[in-house]
């Protein structure tokens, strides 16, 4: 989740009132933010990625003023028509097709502003830009270059420029190979035959998007005027990023100027700060929230959420959405803004009247029976992960891995497959519990996942029951008695056991368990080599059965 | 007169034999009882004023290694004197030392003590013996200690008093303080003993034999110490996490919810796409979600549903939403993964049951591609409940949660605005935990977005809430490290009480 640290004095300045840290802590959460950290003179908040406008002090301050009722309705921004143009070369379509731009003048830039600019860019890159893939922003010192500008492409080693934070000239190719940002983001362009560039009328390089700006246009503390470019793969995403950025800068006192962006087939004048229009039906809002608001009350709440709101007809409100609000997709999003404007703290709980009769899932009914029986037999329940690894589940169990469900991106060697039986997990539990009092008896009734090409997911989730008994005199007879008791109490009838060979069990002390003529499980004495593999010292009896058959007969 | 038990009777008799007063050790030996048995008997006897106790301090003295060596070869001054005598009574120091075979480091000790004991004079390197002395008390004590191993200082003859101090000063002995407990018969005790005690054999285990034959009437059954802890027994037990899962399931069932249980492996379609999560959403990244390599692709449901989902993503479809404005890929939706939330199953259930009312829940396994540490697991459980009905509202959701928490013993709840990709409006709830004296975030909730419901023909609002089970378990068990929960350490499970709170 993105965060922003609001220093009290600076935030008070943007809100326009002297706030205390206590007030900030009290009210900010009602905008949907989480208080992360409270200092003597700052509050660090976490905000939700839908509210990209909270990436700046001015963005949070706008919403804060509305919530407190100090300033309501849609904020207005002055956009001067500019004449600095940005020409878009046709060739960019192959690599990074879109660009929008703005000119920002008379910004008082100090250390705080530079830091905030950088933090806003980071936040927008992450939230809208999908880590620069969809949108990336370049902010330049306008006075160090000569308009008009062009968005062009070049061959990877065609030109040289000094990238930000470096002293030597590099070709775009060298930037991708040597510069930290080049290495980090090269996958965005290195597949293309020509790389994107933004250049001025002298051919000097402002930026190699989305990788790095040139050192030439670095913004420093006495920079006054900015040229902003946002490039990307989706026009809507880059336009929204630009809108969030320039509205924040406007609130910081700068004058925003539009830039005609000349594509080969059209001219886009950006940024476009025209509010988006939407309708809210009061009944819809009331039905979702459980309120009984009049149109006027609904409008008042919307205004406090900093939206434009006017009655269109009885029960219908015309809503205007400011350009920095990128999160409103549907009328339902306006409903939430009614609730936030009204204040979640004013909402009181009510009880729904829906009457239904509860019902357990039959898998869990059967699992509950197994638990009752096994606990009665003196076994302790284990609850293991379904995530497992081949070494414990196969090699140590003296088995060949087969029919495995395998993870594509395991986080550690500990968890790389999905288990298809329970016993190895239980044997491992015994190994982890060696220092405790014997006899040790454990069971698990839980999930396994097997391959099944007939299902939607190519796999099937099943429920098994397994148990182990481990102590100096454990043997086949003992575990068989436990199994018999379990099956009898589960109403398993026509159960037969038949000698079998299984690598995890001792020869002559292992059997398959069948229900009629369907095999449902295994019982036996664990092979001493398996015990050695797990560093266990006591004879161990074990069984595992598939519960599907009894589940099938449950209602 | 109280009824005396066998060991108490034996203790009294032993004391009588030992003339009314003796140490615990002596009594134990005489009575043929264990030390602890005498102590227990004695406590009862003293309570009944039949005996009293005397405690006395004893100092045990014994030789250390150096002392033992002197005991066998003699003190250095004695060795030097013997050498002088052999050499005629008067000699050079170095000659006498050589004759005595005295080690260098002992020369000054020997000379010092010769002088202090007045055995010899030293003038200008010449030694002259003054007398042939008797064995001193220090030497006698050394010998005695060597023979006996250890002695009680308080029991030594008076003349040894000084010798003890000397040997202690020369660091040849070690001493140890000990409290000796002596028991003595009181007048009542003597009276009882004089009347004569008949020791009656006691039986600790009542047997079927005794019961059947009626012989239990003729034996004395020993009283048990009813206050002592019993030896440990091992019980079968349900896993602590499962206990809490059961508790939560019961709450849902009491509230009229039906339990659902779906596949752990899901297609990205049900886990993400059906919940209106755009295909480039960061939560879908490999760094957050476990994908499968074998098998790696699943099947998509009905073409009608898939197309409706695709349109909703691309342009909002029939919902009036603007959608996510990108080109939706069916291939991406077929990818198999371990579900990141149980909501994957919830939306599937709704797609099959779109007539109101619906109230379903699950407490089940979910996954996040995360490194394990004390706070994070890659596999854990999600609690989830939904209500779909004609007229349900956000405030109803708050009411449902309040009830749910109340049943869990959490009485103070607050609701805050929040954000989840598939609900709008959304809320976060915090509950007050008295044990921690603080507010803790538990369940998130909201109303399913129209973009989620419309493709599956759900026409009524769906209230949904969910949260991590483990957080609740940690709160209830007071656990610090979440990994303990699924380590299945037998000792931990055995000693974690079934009844929490």
């Amino acid at each position: 989740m993105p965060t922003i640290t609001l220093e009290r004095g600076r935030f008070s300045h943007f809100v326009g009132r002297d706030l205390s840290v206590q007030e900030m802590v009290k009210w900010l959460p009602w905008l949907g933010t989480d208080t992360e950290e409270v200092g003597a003179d700052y509050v660090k908040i976490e905000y939700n990625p839908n509210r990209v406008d909270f990436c700046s002090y001015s963005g949070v301050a706008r919403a804060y003023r509305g919530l407190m009722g100090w300033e309501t309705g849609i904020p207005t921004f002055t956009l001067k028509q500019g004449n600095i143009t940005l020409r878009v070369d046709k060739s960019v379509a192959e690599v990074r097709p879109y660009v929008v731009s703005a000119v920002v003048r008379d910004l008082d830039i100090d250390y705080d502003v530079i830091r905030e600019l950088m933090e806003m860019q980071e936040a927008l890159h992450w939230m809208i830009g999908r880590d620069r893939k969809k949108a990336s922003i370049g902010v330049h010192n306008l006075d160090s270059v000569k308009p008009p500008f062009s968005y062009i492409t070049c061959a990877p080693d065609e030109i040289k420029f000094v990238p930000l934070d470096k002293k030597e000239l590099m070709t775009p190719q060298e930037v991708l190979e040597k510069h930290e940002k080049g290495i980090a983001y090269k996958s965005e362009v290195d597949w293309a035959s020509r790389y994107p560039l933004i250049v001025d009328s002298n051919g000097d390089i402002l930026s190699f998007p989305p990788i790095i700006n040139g050192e030439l246009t670095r913004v420093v503390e006495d920079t006054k005027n900015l040229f902003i470019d946002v490039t990307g793969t989706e026009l809507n995403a880059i336009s929204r990023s630009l809108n969030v950025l320039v509205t924040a800068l406007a609130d910081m006192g700068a004058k925003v100027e539009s830039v005609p962006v000349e594509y080969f087939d059209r001219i886009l004048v950006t940024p476009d700060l025209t509010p988006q229009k939407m309708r809210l039906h009061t009944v819809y809002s009331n039905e979702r929230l459980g309120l009984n608001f009049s149109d006027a009350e609904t409008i008042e709440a919307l205004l406090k959420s900093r939206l434009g709101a006017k009655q269109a007809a009885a029960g219908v409100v015309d809503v205007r959405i400011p350009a920095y609000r990128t999160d409103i997709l549907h009328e339902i999003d306006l409903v939430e803004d009614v609730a936030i404007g009204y204040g979640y703290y004013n909402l009181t709980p009510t009880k729904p009247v829906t009457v239904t009769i509860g019902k357990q899932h039959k898998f869990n009914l059967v699992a509950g029976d197994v638990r009752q029986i096994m606990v009665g037999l003196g076994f302790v329940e284990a609850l293991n992960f379904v995530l497992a690894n081949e070494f414990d589940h196969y090699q140590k169990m003296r088995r060949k891995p087969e029919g495995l469900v395998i993870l594509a991106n395991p986080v550690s060697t500990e968890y790389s497959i999905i288990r298809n039986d329970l016993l190895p997990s239980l044997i491992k539990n015994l190994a982890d519990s060696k220092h405790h009092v014997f006899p040790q008896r454990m069971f698990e009734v839980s999930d396994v996942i097997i391959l099944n090409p007939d299902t939607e997911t190519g796999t099937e989730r099943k429920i098994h029951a397994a148990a182990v008994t481990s102590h100096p005199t454990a043997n086949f007879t003992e575990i068989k008695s436990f199994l018999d008791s379990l099956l009898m109490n589960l109403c398993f009838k026509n159960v037969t056991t038949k000698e079998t060979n299984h690598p995890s069990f001792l020869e002559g002390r292992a059997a398959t368990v069948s229900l009629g003529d369907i095999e449902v499980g295994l019982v036996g004495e664990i092979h001493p080599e398996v015990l050695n593999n797990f560093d266990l010292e006591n004879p161990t009896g074990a069984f595992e059965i598939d519960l599907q058959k009894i589940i099938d007969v449950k209602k | 007169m109280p009824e005396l038990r066998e060991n108490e009777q034996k203790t009294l008799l032993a004391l009588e034999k030992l003339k009314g007063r003796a140490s615990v050790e002596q009594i134990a030996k005489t009575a043929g009882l264990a030390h602890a048995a005498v102590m227990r008997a004695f406590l009862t006897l003293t309570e009944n004023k039949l005996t009293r106790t005397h405690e006395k301090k004893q100092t045990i003295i014994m030789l250390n290694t150096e002392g033992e060596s002197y005991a066998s070869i003699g003190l250095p001054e004695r060795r030097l004197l013997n050498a002088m005598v052999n050499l005629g009574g008067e000699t050079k120091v170095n000659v006498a030392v050589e004759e005595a075979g005295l080690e260098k480091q002992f020369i000054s000790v020997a000379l010092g003590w010769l002088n202090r004991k007045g055995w010899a004079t030293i003038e200008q390197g010449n030694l002259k013996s003054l007398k042939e002395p008797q064995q001193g008390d220090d030497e006698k004590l050394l010998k005695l200690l060597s023979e006996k191993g250890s002695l009680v200082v308080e029991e030594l003859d008076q003349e040894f008093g000084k010798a003890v101090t000397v040997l202690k000063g020369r660091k040849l002995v070690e001493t140890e303080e000990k409290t000796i407990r002596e028991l003595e018969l009181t007048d009542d005790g003597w009276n009882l003993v004089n009347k004569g005690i008949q020791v009656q054999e006691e039986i600790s285990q009542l047997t079927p034999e005794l019961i059947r034959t009626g012989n239990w009437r003729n034996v004395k059954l020993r009283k048990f110490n009813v206050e002592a802890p019993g030896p440990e027994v091992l019980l079968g037990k349900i896993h602590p996490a499962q206990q809490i899962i059961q508790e939560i399931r019961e709450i849902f069932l009491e509230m009229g919810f039906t339990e659902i249980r779906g596949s752990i492996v899901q297609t990205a379609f049900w886990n993400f796409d059906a919940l209106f999560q755009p295909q480039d959403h960061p939560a879908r990244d490999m760094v957050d979600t476990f994908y499968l390599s074998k098998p790696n692709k699943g099947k998509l449901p009905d073409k009608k549903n898939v197309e409706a989902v695709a349109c909703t993503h691309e342009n909002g479809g029939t919902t009036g939403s603007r959608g996510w404005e990108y080109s939706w890929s069916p291939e991406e939706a077929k990818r198999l993964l371990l579900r990141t939330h149980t909501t994957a199953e919830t939306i599937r259930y709704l797609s099959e049951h779109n007539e109101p009312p619906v109230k379903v829940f699950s407490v089940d396994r979910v996954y996040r591609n995360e490194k394990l540490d004390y706070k994070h697991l890659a596999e854990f459980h999600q609690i989830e409940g939904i209500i779909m009905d004609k007229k349900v509202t956000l405030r109803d959701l708050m009411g449902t949660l309040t009830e749910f928490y109340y049943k869990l013993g959490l009485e103070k709840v607050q609701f805050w605005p929040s954000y989840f990709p598939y609900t709008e409006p959304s809320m976060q709830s915090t509950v007050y935990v008295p044990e921690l004296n603080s507010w803790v975030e538990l369940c998130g909730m909201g109303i399913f977005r129209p973009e989620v419901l419309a493709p599956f023909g759900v026409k009524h609002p769906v209230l949904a809430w969910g949260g991590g089970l483990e957080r609740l378990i940690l709160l209830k068990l007071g656990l610090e490290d979440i990994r303990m929960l699924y380590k299945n350490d037998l000792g931990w499970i055995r000693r974690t009480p079934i009844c929490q709170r």
Side-chain angles (χ1 to χ4, degrees):
Chain A
M1 290 287 213
T3 60
I4 181 169
T5 301
L6 299 171
E7 191 267 311
R8 191 196 61 84
R10 189 167 153 84
F11 186 65
S12 293
H13 164 77
F14 280 103
V15 171
R17 299 205 183 194
D18 195 32
L19 302 173
S20 67
V21 165
Q22 288 72 27
E23 281 173 278
M24 289 165 67
V25 172
K26 180 175 176 195
W27 291 105
L28 284 167
W30 299 113
L31 294 172
T33 66
D34 258 347
T35 307
E36 224 3 38
E37 200 180 306
V38 181
D41 216 34
Y42 70 88
V43 181
K44 184 178 179 188
I45 58 169
E46 198 177 75
Y47 57 97
N48 291 307
N50 62 326
R51 286 305 296 263
V52 289
D53 54 312
F54 285 177
C55 70
S56 70
Y57 272 71
S58 50
V60 183
R62 271 180 225 129
Y64 195 96
R65 287 198 299 270
L67 181 73
M68 305 308 290
W70 297 335
E71 181 184 72
T72 60
I74 185 166
T76 52
F77 303 96
T78 315
L79 181 64
K80 201 183 146 205
Q81 200 150 358
N83 50 17
I84 293 178
T85 60
L86 172 63
R87 188 188 64 82
V88 184
D89 191 86
K90 243 180 165 173
S91 63
V92 298
E94 302 289 317
V95 51
R96 199 167 175 83
Y98 300 107
V99 64
V100 289
S101 177
V103 164
V104 171
R105 295 190 191 272
D106 299 335
L107 183 64
D108 277 331
I109 295 191
D110 56 12
Y111 170 77
D112 285 338
V113 172
I114 291 181
R115 197 189 55 192
E116 202 180 334
L117 265 174
M118 281 164 51
E119 286 172 0
M120 283 163 71
Q121 280 185 67
E122 281 304 307
L124 290 168
H125 282 162
W126 188 76
M127 288 182 287
I128 300 183
R130 301 283 187 250
D131 204 18
R132 305 195 186 188
K133 186 185 256 349
K134 271 167 94 170
S136 71
I137 301 163
V139 177
H140 311 276
N141 180 356
L142 175 64
D143 301 321
S144 65
V145 278
K146 192 163 175 287
F149 303 107
S150 303
Y151 182 37
I152 59 166
T153 59
C154 72
D157 50 3
E158 190 179 328
I159 52 98
K160 286 191 175 213
F161 72 107
V162 180
L164 214 52
D165 300 326
K166 290 281 176 267
K167 291 200 167 62
E168 69 272 32
L169 286 162
M170 291 185 184
T171 64
Q173 188 61 44
E174 286 168 336
V175 168
L176 296 190
E177 283 159 11
K178 291 180 196 159
H179 197 286
E180 303 73 46
K181 298 285 175 195
I183 294 164
Y185 295 103
K186 69 173 172 208
S187 66
E188 302 305 327
V189 292
D190 65 356
W191 44 269
S193 59
R194 294 176 68 81
Y195 296 166
L197 283 180
I198 294 175
V199 297
D200 73 356
S201 56
N202 293 331
D204 284 333
I205 290 163
L206 283 73
S207 155
F208 168 22
I211 314 294
I212 190 84
N213 283 354
E215 186 66 37
L216 175 67
T217 56
R218 178 190 278 278
V219 175
V220 291
E221 288 196 22
D222 59 359
T223 304
K224 273 262 141 238
N225 304 313
L226 303 176
F227 176 76
I228 298 171
D229 74 80
V230 188
T231 60
T233 54
E234 278 179 42
L235 188 55
N236 287 323
I238 62 175
S239 303
R240 287 179 192 128
S241 301
L242 183 66
N243 290 352
V244 172
L245 187 61
V246 298
T247 50
L249 292 172
D251 275 2
M252 289 159 81
K255 298 193 180 77
V256 183
E257 249 176 58
S258 61
V259 171
V261 184
E262 301 166 4
Y263 287 82
F264 78 101
D265 57 347
R266 58 185 161 156
I267 295 176
L268 281 180
V269 179
T270 66
D272 179 0
L273 300 181
T274 318
Q276 182 200 341
K277 290 195 176 106
M278 210 181 250
R279 286 205 150 160
L280 175 65
H281 297 80
T282 312
V283 175
Y284 181 65
S285 171
N286 283 340
E287 272 180 5
R288 287 298 174 271
L289 298 176
L291 294 173
N292 196 15
F293 273 10
S294 65
D295 293 349
E297 286 167 314
T298 306
I299 288 170
E300 190 195 334
L302 289 168
L303 293 175
K304 286 178 85 179
S305 283
R306 306 310 309 266
L307 298 166
K310 257 195 351 218
Q311 180 138 22
V316 184
V317 180
D318 267 337
V319 180
R320 286 187 308 135
I321 302 156
Y324 58 82
R325 286 294 299 271
T326 64
D327 59 312
I328 296 178
L329 308 183
H330 185 276
E331 190 177 356
I332 194 68
D333 297 296
L334 300 175
V335 174
E336 184 174 83
D337 272 23
V338 171
I340 290 176
Y342 175 56
Y344 270 47
Y345 45 88
N346 285 319
L347 294 173
T348 50
T350 49
K351 285 212 176 98
V353 291
T354 306
V355 177
T356 49
I357 290 160
K359 191 180 175 197
Q360 298 194 53
H361 195 279
K362 59 184 180 179
F363 273 57
N364 287 335
L365 273 173
V366 173
D369 292 344
V370 171
R371 280 188 192 104
Q372 191 191 341
I373 300 163
M374 293 312 294
V375 167
L377 292 172
F379 284 70
V380 168
E381 187 185 19
L383 192 51
N384 283 293
F385 290 147
V386 168
L387 291 173
N389 66 74
E390 239 184 86
F391 186 61
D392 286 336
H393 275 245
Y394 290 91
Q395 272 90 313
K396 281 179 153 183
M397 295 298 288
R398 302 178 78 235
R399 298 188 291 179
K400 282 210 178 63
E402 54 188 347
L404 299 190
V405 178
I406 302 171
L407 291 184
N409 53 334
V411 70
S412 70
T413 50
E414 184 84 351
Y415 305 120
S416 54
I417 63 166
I418 316 281
R419 70 173 175 187
N420 54 21
D421 57 2
L422 303 176
L423 269 183
S425 307
L426 286 175
I427 303 279
K428 194 155 185 272
N429 296 151
L430 288 177
D432 287 339
S433 297
K434 266 196 325 190
H435 50 291
H436 296 303
V437 181
F438 285 86
Q440 297 189 347
R441 297 193 174 103
M442 297 179 91
F443 78 101
E444 182 165 7
V445 50
S446 187
D447 299 304
V448 300
I449 296 175
I450 59 161
L451 287 173
N452 181 350
D454 298 335
T455 68
E456 179 191 66
T457 60
T459 62
E460 188 184 351
R461 177 185 187 183
K462 303 192 87 175
I463 186 163
H464 281 192
V468 288
T469 170
S470 181
H471 56 94
T473 56
N475 59 27
F476 182 85
T477 309
E478 186 200 25
I479 191 70
K480 180 68 166 44
S481 303
F482 285 131
L483 176 66
D484 289 345
S485 178
L486 173 68
L487 296 179
M488 190 276 281
N489 280 292
L490 284 175
C491 256
F492 261 105
K493 298 204 174 88
N494 306 321
V495 177
T496 52
T497 48
K498 215 183 214 161
E499 191 179 333
T500 189
N501 275 324
H502 187 288
S504 303
F505 292 96
L506 266 175
E507 201 188 324
R509 301 187 186 188
T512 55
V513 182
S514 297
L515 191 58
D517 46 9
I518 301 155
E519 214 175 286
V520 295
L522 274 172
V523 57
E525 221 178 298
I526 297 292
H527 197 287
E529 195 177 297
V530 173
L531 300 176
N532 285 153
N533 290 344
F534 282 95
D535 220 359
L536 288 168
E537 286 166 10
N538 279 297
T540 301
F543 68 74
E544 172 150 1
I545 52 166
D546 181 348
L547 294 176
Q548 192 63 47
K549 284 291 148 232
I550 19 172
I551 289 167
D552 287 344
V553 301
K554 280 259 175 191
K555 282 279 161 334
Chain B
M1 196 69 242
E3 203 181 327
L4 294 181
R5 285 181 281 189
E6 186 180 355
N7 289 350
E8 290 152 12
Q9 293 170 339
K10 283 184 176 171
T11 301
L12 284 182
L13 289 174
L15 260 176
E16 184 194 19
K17 222 179 265 177
L18 293 163
K19 304 203 173 77
R21 177 164 174 163
S23 71
V24 177
E25 286 76 13
Q26 288 170 304
I27 296 169
K29 208 169 150 195
T30 310
L33 291 173
H35 190 279
V38 174
M39 287 308 295
R40 269 200 304 273
F42 167 64
L43 280 176
T44 318
L45 292 173
T46 302
E47 231 167 71
N48 290 316
K49 302 207 164 63
L50 295 172
T51 55
R52 70 172 74 89
T53 175
H54 297 278
E55 288 191 350
K56 68 181 185 191
K57 292 240 182 290
Q58 276 192 347
T59 314
I60 312 290
I61 180 168
M62 66 211 103
L63 293 175
N64 63 17
T65 331
E66 196 178 346
E68 263 165 27
S69 120
Y70 288 171
S72 70
I73 61 171
L75 291 167
E77 63 268 25
R78 172 66 70 187
R79 287 165 65 195
L80 198 57
L81 185 78
N82 287 345
M84 283 161 59
V85 171
N86 286 349
L87 293 166
E90 192 170 341
T91 169
K92 291 266 185 216
V93 175
N94 53 352
V95 178
V97 167
E98 199 173 315
E99 171 70 19
L102 203 61
E103 299 82 351
K104 233 179 175 178
Q105 69 264 33
F106 296 126
I107 299 172
S108 62
V109 177
L111 293 176
W113 280 100
L114 276 180
N115 190 27
R116 263 172 87 173
K117 287 184 173 173
W119 291 354
T121 56
I122 314 153
E123 273 165 30
Q124 292 157 355
N126 278 330
L127 273 173
K128 189 177 168 192
S129 74
L130 295 177
K131 54 178 177 184
E132 199 164 334
Q134 301 271 308
Q135 254 199 342
D137 287 337
D138 53 349
E139 288 171 299
K140 283 185 196 154
L141 182 57
L142 212 53
K143 192 159 168 253
L144 203 57
L145 280 170
S146 161
E147 284 165 10
K148 303 255 176 189
S150 68
L151 292 168
V152 176
V153 173
E154 288 78 4
E155 288 170 0
L156 290 175
D157 292 339
Q158 215 138 42
E159 71 242 39
F160 281 126
K162 229 176 153 186
V164 169
T165 321
V166 170
L167 293 187
K168 267 170 92 172
R170 294 185 72 170
K171 299 208 168 68
L172 302 179
V173 291
E174 271 160 26
T175 57
E176 192 181 288
E177 298 287 326
K178 217 173 151 185
T179 303
I180 293 298
R181 207 165 276 126
E182 279 193 340
L183 312 186
E184 187 184 12
L185 281 176
T186 60
D187 291 346
D188 286 353
W190 274 118
N191 285 340
L192 189 68
V193 169
N194 289 339
K195 274 191 227 154
I197 295 172
Q198 278 263 277
V199 177
Q200 193 180 8
E201 197 192 343
E202 288 184 348
I203 282 175
S204 56
Q205 181 63 52
L206 188 60
T207 61
E209 168 77 17
L210 287 171
I211 298 167
R212 199 170 49 239
T213 57
N215 266 345
W216 58 270
R217 290 174 212 277
N218 309 323
V219 297
K220 195 159 151 58
L221 284 166
R222 179 180 302 148
K223 288 188 167 189
F224 276 30
N225 177 2
V226 296
E227 292 171 11
E232 187 189 359
V233 287
L234 304 174
L235 85 161
K237 197 190 248 184
I238 290 179
H239 190 279
Q242 186 62 41
Q243 297 279 354
I244 295 172
I245 293 176
Q246 301 287 49
E247 189 186 335
I248 292 165
R249 291 179 64 241
E250 275 160 28
I251 292 174
F252 275 114
L253 292 165
E254 281 172 6
M255 291 171 75
F257 285 76
T258 292
E259 185 170 34
I260 58 173
R261 181 183 186 278
S263 183
I264 287 175
V265 176
Q266 293 277 356
T267 54
F269 180 85
W270 287 113
N271 196 75
F272 293 125
D273 296 286
L275 293 164
F276 196 53
Q277 293 236 54
Q279 293 188 327
D280 68 348
H281 194 279
R284 300 179 70 145
D285 274 359
M286 302 275 281
V287 291
D288 284 314
T289 301
F290 282 121
Y291 287 90
L292 298 191
S293 67
K294 200 188 135 193
N296 63 354
K297 286 273 162 91
K299 299 176 190 124
L300 293 181
D302 263 9
K303 212 172 160 197
K304 201 183 85 201
N305 284 343
V306 176
E307 268 168 20
V309 167
C311 287
T312 311
H313 276 243
E314 289 181 351
N315 54 35
T318 59
T319 64
S321 170
R322 79 166 184 232
W324 292 120
E325 305 167 314
Y326 72 104
S327 164
W328 188 84
S329 149
E331 283 311 301
E332 180 64 33
K334 285 181 194 167
R335 292 178 75 187
L336 289 175
L337 48 79
L338 296 183
R339 65 179 179 196
T340 61
H341 45 204
T342 49
T343 323
E345 197 53 36
T346 309
I347 185 62
R348 185 204 303 266
Y349 185 89
L350 280 172
S351 77
E352 291 159 3
H353 303 80
N354 54 18
E355 285 307 310
V358 170
K359 276 166 70 179
V360 294
F361 81 97
S362 60
V363 185
D364 213 342
R365 297 180 191 260
V366 292
Y367 299 80
R368 207 135 305 166
N369 192 348
E370 199 142 28
K371 261 226 140 45
L372 269 71
D373 62 32
Y374 79 102
K375 268 172 99 171
H376 300 98
L377 297 173
E379 176 168 352
F380 48 100
H381 289 79
Q382 186 191 338
I383 304 168
E384 174 165 335
I386 63 153
I387 302 175
M388 185 257 276
D389 204 358
K390 285 176 183 157
K391 292 270 177 204
V392 287
T393 70
L394 187 66
R395 290 175 63 201
D396 288 341
L397 181 55
M398 294 165 72
T400 306
L401 259 286
T402 306
E403 185 68 26
F404 179 76
Y405 285 139
Y406 184 82
K407 282 172 177 278
L408 277 171
L410 300 162
E411 296 180 17
K412 284 202 240 170
V413 193
Q414 272 191 311
F415 298 92
W416 309 86
S418 190
Y419 170 77
F420 301 101
Y422 44 90
T423 57
E424 189 83 9
S426 303
M427 276 186 166
Q428 182 60 252
S429 60
T430 51
V431 292
Y432 181 73
V433 182
E435 289 85 348
L436 299 177
N437 189 28
S438 72
W439 291 85
V440 176
E441 236 177 61
L442 274 186
C443 290
M445 71 204 79
I447 303 179
F448 274 3
R449 293 190 67 94
E451 295 95 326
V452 173
L453 299 177
F456 302 105
V458 181
K459 295 185 181 66
H460 303 287
V462 175
L463 313 180
W465 76 96
L469 170 78
E470 282 70 13
R471 179 177 274 238
L472 195 66
I473 296 181
L474 295 193
L475 276 181
K476 288 210 161 213
L477 300 186
L479 265 186
E480 298 280 323
D481 189 334
I482 199 168
R483 286 168 297 193
M484 195 62 187
L485 220 44
Y486 302 115
K487 214 181 140 219
N488 296 301
D489 179 281
L490 201 49
W492 177 73
I493 303 177
R494 279 173 176 165
R495 70 174 178 268
T496 301
I498 283 180
C499 184
Q500 300 295 337
R501 271 175 175 272

